[in-house]
Amino acid sequence: MFEKPSKLRSAILGGLMIGAISGIPGLNLLNCCCCAGILLGGALSVYLYRQEFTDEMPPLESSDALILGIIAGIIGALVTTALSAMITLLLGPVETEMMRNFMEKLTQKLEDHGSVPPGTMENMRDQFEQAIKEGGTVGGILRSLVYALILYPIFSMLGGLIGFGIFGKKKRPVPPPQH
Amino acid sequence: MKFSITIRIYILLACLVAFWCAGIIAAPLLKQAGLHGGADMVYSAYSRICHQADSRSFHVGGEKFGVCIRCSAIYFGFLAGLLLLPWSGALNQRRIPKPMVLVAVMIPMVVDVLLNDIGLHFSTTMTRVTTGLLFGGVMPWCIVPLFDEACSQLLTKKKIHSPDSGKCLHV
């Protein structure tokens, strides 16, 4: 009997997706819809893992999806925190101002369009200022990491289970009838 | 009295979800009580998963909930669905709805968000609550049997862990 494939590759890819969505300013707005980015990352890791299965291997189980989701969430939390800290630390005052202007223009456009509620720009400005202030301190980065390490694995695990529910088990090919 | 693994997993999950929902209401209540430090901590935790816009949130005593209306509807819908789950018999039989059911309950919410984004329709509190409750309320039927099955598989594998070989046997 063949062994199941390693979960690491799929979990890393799912975690990187979570990290990219949650760590890049602007893209992280996707998480405002019930952690959609994190759920997607968990589901993606299950989808990728399922692709690695061959007919000889034991079938994909829900426990695999649960573990994959948790690992992807932990990797995602680490990547998000590292990416956010890097962006904050690497951006100088000029780049920070440019990023702030870009975010404000984007949010204003969305607000005018009715996609985000009025007052979101003020909220985002406060959050951005807070992130810049906290992002530069070890305490701020650690606090952010603790929150992420609690929340991301939970939502990613849910995403993994939803992914398992949607993609399900790989259908085995029906052998042709023998005469 | 000894509970089965399924019941224990269900109780644990129900407690965690109830705690999560209690946190959503605790944020404004703490602020109202003057415990600003605690309230800020709770708001900060929920800020990672929701925009928390004041105009799109329910309020208690003038203070907004920890998450927006749509998120509140999803989480409280999930809690309600979770509490109703044992009565439907889905818990013991581990019946998992078809993937189409999962996709079907997502569609109204996704359509509400997308049509609002492209300006064809404006989401209201009613549409946010209805679509959120539908999605959140059905989710336990899909997630809990899978979560129970996954935890049971992990516990069973742990039980038959061979001490000689040091390898887990797949069942």
Side-chain angles (χ1 to χ4, degrees):
Chain A
M1 192 73 169
F2 284 79
E3 289 281 315
K4 283 183 185 177
S6 166
K7 293 183 180 71
L8 203 61
R9 187 179 151 272
S10 317
I12 288 174
L13 288 172
L16 285 176
M17 186 186 171
I18 294 172
I21 290 176
S22 310
I24 297 172
L27 206 57
N28 57 7
L29 281 172
L30 196 62
N31 278 344
C32 286
C33 185
C34 269
C35 282
I38 305 172
L39 292 172
L40 276 176
L44 176 80
S45 61
V46 172
Y47 174 76
L48 292 174
Y49 187 57
R50 199 197 70 150
Q51 300 303 311
E52 292 180 26
F53 276 73
T54 58
D55 294 338
E56 295 81 23
M57 290 177 181
L60 174 69
E61 292 173 304
S62 48
S63 57
D64 296 321
L66 185 104
I67 293 169
L68 264 173
I70 292 173
I71 300 172
I74 293 170
I75 294 170
L78 295 171
V79 173
T80 304
T81 311
L83 204 61
S84 303
M86 261 167 54
I87 288 172
T88 313
L89 291 172
L90 290 177
L91 290 183
V94 178
E95 286 88 349
T96 309
E97 197 53 43
M98 273 174 64
M99 182 71 87
R100 186 184 288 123
N101 282 341
F102 170 74
M103 295 267 288
E104 287 192 1
K105 274 181 190 164
L106 178 79
T107 318
Q108 187 64 59
K109 221 172 190 177
L110 290 170
E111 241 185 61
D112 293 344
H113 210 252
S115 303
V116 293
T120 307
M121 199 164 84
E122 279 72 32
N123 278 353
M124 283 197 66
R125 192 181 292 139
D126 291 346
Q127 282 179 10
F128 191 74
E129 299 295 339
Q130 189 73 18
I132 294 289
K133 211 164 71 181
E134 283 188 352
T137 65
V138 178
I141 294 170
L142 281 178
R143 195 165 61 184
S144 188
L145 181 65
V146 169
Y147 280 132
L149 279 173
I150 295 169
L151 293 173
Y152 286 23
I154 296 173
F155 280 92
S156 181
M157 181 196 76
L158 291 177
L161 288 176
I162 292 173
F164 180 80
I166 292 174
F167 308 126
K169 290 163 191 168
K170 219 172 193 177
K171 279 181 186 166
R172 288 172 191 274
V174 181
Q178 289 176 348
H179 297 288
Chain B
M1 194 163 68
K2 204 174 177 185
F3 294 117
S4 67
I5 291 176
T6 300
I7 299 293
R8 273 185 277 175
I9 290 168
Y10 172 77
I11 292 171
L12 175 74
L13 200 62
C15 290
L16 288 173
V17 176
F19 179 71
W20 179 265
C21 291
I24 293 170
I25 307 174
L29 293 179
L30 285 170
K31 201 163 185 180
Q32 224 185 345
L35 301 165
H36 293 279
D40 288 346
M41 212 172 78
V42 180
Y43 277 122
S44 176
Y46 286 108
S47 73
R48 274 137 231 276
I49 53 148
C50 182
H51 54 71
Q52 297 179 321
D54 197 68
S55 59
R56 284 193 187 171
S57 300
F58 286 126
H59 291 75
V60 178
E63 301 295 342
K64 64 181 178 184
F65 272 26
V67 291
C68 70
I69 293 171
R70 197 186 299 280
C71 292
S72 300
I74 293 171
Y75 298 131
F76 284 99
F78 191 94
L79 180 64
L82 194 62
L83 296 175
L84 289 173
L85 198 66
W87 308 103
S88 71
L91 196 62
N92 293 326
Q93 294 165 20
R94 276 194 195 154
R95 279 182 307 195
I96 301 163
K98 287 179 181 167
M100 276 311 292
V101 177
L102 256 169
V103 176
V105 294
M106 278 184 205
I107 287 173
M109 195 173 67
V110 173
V111 167
D112 190 41
V113 172
L114 289 180
L115 289 184
N116 183 64
D117 280 359
I118 56 173
L120 281 175
H121 137 92
F122 289 101
S123 299
T124 60
T125 301
M126 183 57 88
T127 60
R128 289 186 192 111
V129 169
T130 315
T131 57
L133 275 178
L134 177 71
F135 176 69
V138 174
M139 271 299 116
W141 269 266
C142 307
I143 287 176
V144 176
L146 285 173
F147 184 74
D148 173 39
E149 187 187 83
C151 290
S152 302
Q153 280 170 7
L154 290 174
L155 290 171
T156 316
K157 277 176 198 171
K158 206 175 168 185
K159 268 184 187 171
I160 60 164
H161 184 276
S162 162
D164 300 323
S165 65
K167 275 187 175 180
C168 281
L169 300 171
H170 289 288
V171 285

